[in-house]
Structure formats: C-alpha cells, structure tokens
C-alpha cells in the first residue's frame, strides 16, 4: 500500500535527507587516491550519529544473507550497488558510489552519489554525467497525473542513446518511516503505465546504469552486485516528494558538486 505523506511529514523527510546530503558532502571532501572505503564508512557513521540520527543501512536485513555490516554502501567501479566498505585503498581513475541512509526523528533519508577518484577517463566521466542526467529526467516526470512508468521510461530513453545498460533487478522505492515502502520505482518502463502519481507521494529515484551490458551478479559476500562483464556502473539517487502539484527534491547534490568542481 502506498502511504501518501502530509506536508509536516515531508518536512521531517527533508531533514533526514538533508542530513544524508551533508554526510555525502563530508565524504566528498575526503575522497581521493589512498583513502579506503572503510575510512569513508567511519566518517559517515560518526557524522550521522553526531547529528542525532542513526545510519539506516547498519544492520539492515538482507534477502540473501546476514545484516549489512556498515553505515554506507561503497561500490567501486564494476560493483553496481551494496558494496561493503573494506581496506582496499582507492586509486587514481576509480569511481566510488556512496549510498547513504539516515533515520532522523522517525523518518528516513536515502541518497547516493558516484564520486571520481583522481583523474577518471573521459569515457567513465560520460557514464557519470549521463546517469546523473537520467536521474533528473526521471524526477521531471514525478508530477500528479503522471504514472510511475513515466519515470522509468524517461531514465531508460536517455541512457539508451549512449548504449548503456539499465539494471532491472533493483529499483527505486517509496520512502517514509521505512526506507523501502511501496511503490517500487523501476528505471525502465512504459509511458502511461504503473501506479498513478499523486500529491503526497514520496519516493527515492535511483538509476543504476552500466557502461556495458545490464546483467549483474551477486558477490560472494551476499551483498554487493557486480556487472557480469566487469565494466563500470554508476548510481545516483535523490529522494523526492510530490506536493502542491510539483516535485520537490528533498536531498541535494549542491554542496557535493561545489567540492567536486573545486577538485577537478
Ligand atoms: Mg540509497
Ligand atoms: Mg534507495
């Protein structure tokens, strides 16, 4: 069942999401060659707890194995999503998707940004740019009267122009008191199909886009998903609310992008 949110609830969701964005901004400041994803995780957990929230991902139950051991997912290069932070140092030319969730005052935040590490190839930079563009193309469709399928159609039509793949096994989702609520929000779909979008709908839209084929496989840790062809994948995610006839993006990349622009 889809739970539509009141304006007051949307403000609480915004607070949880802005904390995710602030956490990702802190991470943007330290991402560089030589840093480990475990260091990124430690920074995120401390920052989230210092702000009176809990990292939603820590201990999150899996459909495949044990609870998630860390506070953020760090997915490097060919790892698409749900990468477990570890002690491998990031190297020049890597990309790392950091997916972060918070629970603050009973509401969840969820957002992801794919960072460049040092100098990244033009080919990979294009993958990141196009994936982020596809997120905003999807968001534009989230207005009352449209349908969930319009979001997926907008995402996939954009990335297919570049020959990229759209991961189908994992989707965006409703969000509120729980990180994953109804409805599912696939990154593919038919225009005019799926659930009707109404005021009060709050969802996370999160294209997971592969440079090569869309097929993915589960890693032996039972969490991470990797591209079968080992080509890189990108992941950008915003939580949005539909209200007063418009789309309102509750998370923000503004400060992250300012730091990224200073670095590169
Ligand atoms: Mg996420
Ligand atoms: Mg999500």
């Amino acid at each position: 069942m889809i739970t539509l949110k009141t304006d007051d609830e949307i403000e609480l969701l915004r607070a949880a999401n802005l904390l995710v964005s602030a956490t990702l901004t802190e991470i943007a400041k330290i991402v560089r060659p030589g840093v480990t994803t475990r260091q990124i995780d430690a920074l995120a957990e401390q920052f989230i707890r210092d702000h009176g929230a809990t990292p939603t991902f820590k201990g999150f139950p899996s459909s495949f194995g044990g609870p998630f051991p860390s506070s953020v997912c760090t997915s490097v290069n060919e790892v698409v999503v749900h990468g477990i932070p570890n002690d491998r140092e990031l190297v020049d030319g890597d990309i790392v998707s950091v997916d972060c969730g918070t629970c603050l005052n009973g509401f969840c935040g969820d957002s992801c940004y794919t960072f460049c590490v040092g100098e990244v190839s033009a080919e990979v930079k294009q993958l990141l740019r196009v994936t982020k563009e596809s997120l905003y193309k999807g968001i534009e469709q989230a207005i009352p009267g449209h349908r969930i399928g319009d979001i997926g159609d907008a995402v996939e039509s954009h990335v297919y122009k570049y020959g990229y793949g759209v991961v189908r096994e994992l989707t965006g989702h409703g969000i509120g008191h729980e990180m994953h609520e109804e409805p599912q929000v696939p990154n593919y779909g038919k225009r005019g199909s799926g659930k009707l979008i109404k005021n009060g709908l709050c969802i996370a839209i999160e294209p997971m886009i592969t440079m090569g084929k869309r097929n993915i496989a589960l890693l032996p840790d039972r969490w991470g998903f990797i591209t079968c062809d080992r080509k890189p994948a990108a992941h950008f995610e915003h939580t949005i609310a539909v209200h007063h006839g418009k789309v309102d993006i509750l998370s923000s990349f503004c400060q992250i992008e300012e730091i990224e622009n200073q670095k590169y």
Side-chain angles (χ1 to χ4, degrees), residues 99 110 173 180 204 206 237:
D99 196 347
D110 188 12
H173 48 87
H180 295 150
E206 48 180 317
E237 176 180 27

Side-chain angles (χ1 to χ4, degrees), residues 127-153:
L127 172 70
L128 302 191
R129 176 179 60 78
V130 171
T131 303
K132 198 198 280 183
E133 284 168 0
S134 78
L135 167 61
Y136 288 103
K137 300 256 179 208
I139 289 172
E140 278 173 21
Q141 296 300 319
I143 50 172
H146 281 203
R147 290 183 179 271
I148 292 294
D150 296 335
I151 296 172
D153 172 74

Side-chain angles (χ1 to χ4, degrees), residues 7-262:
D7 283 1
D8 287 347
E9 289 171 326
I10 289 170
E11 288 318 306
L12 289 164
L13 266 173
R14 191 192 310 280
N17 275 285
L18 288 179
L19 179 57
V20 172
S21 305
T23 308
L24 291 174
T25 301
E26 291 306 302
I27 290 166
K29 291 176 188 168
I30 67 155
V31 168
R32 62 174 178 282
V35 166
T36 69
T37 48
R38 201 184 298 282
Q39 288 172 308
I40 291 172
D41 181 57
L43 171 82
E45 177 163 12
Q46 189 68 52
F47 190 81
I48 292 167
R49 294 196 191 280
D50 284 350
H51 287 80
T54 50
T56 326
F57 295 1
K58 196 147 197 176
F60 199 80
S62 164
S63 343
F64 307 107
F68 194 73
S70 306
S71 294
V72 288
C73 299
T74 53
S75 306
V76 178
N77 300 334
E78 68 275 15
V79 182
V80 186
V81 286
H82 302 168
I84 297 175
N86 61 29
D87 292 317
R88 173 191 175 275
E89 290 183 2
L90 295 170
V91 299
D92 199 42
D94 280 345
I95 52 171
V96 57
S97 304
V98 183
D99 196 347
C100 179
T102 60
C103 184
L104 179 66
N105 299 318
F107 282 87
C108 290
D110 188 12
S111 176
C112 179
Y113 196 92
T114 304
F115 297 94
C116 294
V117 181
E119 199 47 57
V120 168
S121 72
E123 202 187 11
V124 172
K125 271 188 194 154
Q126 178 181 277
L127 172 70
L128 302 191
R129 176 179 60 78
V130 171
T131 303
K132 198 198 280 183
E133 284 168 0
S134 78
L135 167 61
Y136 288 103
K137 300 256 179 208
I139 289 172
E140 278 173 21
Q141 296 300 319
I143 50 172
H146 281 203
R147 290 183 179 271
I148 292 294
D150 296 335
I151 296 172
D153 172 74
V155 169
E156 74 173 344
S157 325
H158 186 60
V159 305
Y160 282 176
K161 287 188 237 161
Y162 297 84
Y164 297 153
V166 174
V167 171
R168 299 173 83 103
E169 290 84 349
L170 301 152
T171 67
H173 48 87
I175 184 165
H177 287 301
E178 302 293 331
M179 183 166 64
H180 295 150
E181 298 186 356
E182 288 292 310
Q184 287 196 346
V185 184
N187 295 302
Y188 59 92
K190 272 209 180 80
R191 185 154 292 279
S193 72
K195 295 254 166 35
L196 191 63
I197 296 172
K198 298 177 184 169
N199 280 314
L201 180 74
C202 294
I203 52 175
I205 302 178
E206 48 180 317
M208 291 155 254
I209 306 300
T210 60
M211 184 176 270
K213 297 225 176 338
R214 69 170 175 84
N215 310 74
I216 58 171
L218 191 61
L219 283 170
D221 65 23
R222 314 294 291 165
W223 272 105
F225 281 96
I226 190 169
T227 55
C228 291
D229 61 12
R230 303 293 190 268
K231 290 196 177 160
H235 181 203
F236 287 88
E237 176 180 27
H238 270 315
T239 292
I240 64 117
V242 181
H243 65 153
H244 306 295
K246 288 187 289 207
V247 61
D248 185 353
I249 305 177
L250 302 180
S251 42
S252 167
F253 293 156
C254 292
Q255 286 175 296
I256 301 169
E257 283 167 350
E258 255 178 52
I259 291 165
E260 292 287 277
N261 291 338
Q262 283 163 16

